[in-house]
Amino acid sequence: MIRTEGIVLSERNAGESSKTLKVYTLKTGLVTIYAKGALKRSSKVTSSSQVFFVNEYTISKTGVFYYIKSAKILSSNLHLRESLVKLSFANLVIEIYLKSNMEEIENKNAYLLLKKYLETLEDSTAKVRTMQLLLKYISFIGFRPSMKGNYFLVDGGGLSPTKENSSRNYELNTEEVEFLNLLMYRDLEYEFEKKPFERKIFFIIIEYLKYCLDLRQINSLELIREE
């Protein structure tokens, strides 16, 4: 029996009345939970089985699934559904977490980062907050980029003074390098000034993340490109 916080990353119908959930938990990492009866309005687990919800679970494992013994909603994050901007960026982050985590590998830093990100995401800061999260997250899972130099080497571990031995690199000016460092080292409540090169930095970070995690495609990017 495990008692832990968890964030619902995805939900799928299982039969006529139940769901299978992918939940990123504080104590156990990514787990698959069978939410029996979650499609029934009268079920005690219906509300706590929705994507973006942060819940306190008591779960136990039988076979390949965890099963909910009890669930209490800690945060619904319903504000994410108020706009396409917030929803698009939140879905991007959720997709990356789902595609880059093996099941049952604990990472408390990655969990707490995601929890704070979802709870504080706003339209005006969505892109910069997402860049912050992605840089910090990739560091937490073992791909921390170098932050010194004026060339960002996608295939060479981040910033570097030169672009030698790299076929995928971007030259950055001093202001762009400083901005990248602020993204990495400031917390998610830091107030950034709007920069004209945010789009450039965003897609550099995405390219680095895709390279490190061997992700061929991130479907959620399509909505963001239409912004």
Side-chain angles (χ1 to χ4, degrees), residues 205-222:
I205 293 171
I206 290 293
E207 286 302 304
Y208 181 68
L209 184 142
K210 288 171 67 177
Y211 178 83
C212 291
L213 300 179
D214 194 24
L215 298 179
R216 295 184 179 181
Q217 186 172 357
I218 302 175
N219 297 322
S220 304
L221 278 174
E222 293 305 315

Side-chain angles (χ1 to χ4, degrees), residues 116 120 129 132 186-192:
K116 186 173 183 180
T120 59
R129 291 291 176 260
Q132 282 187 283
R186 295 294 185 176
D187 64 31
L188 293 184
E189 295 175 344
Y190 182 77
E191 295 186 10
F192 284 84

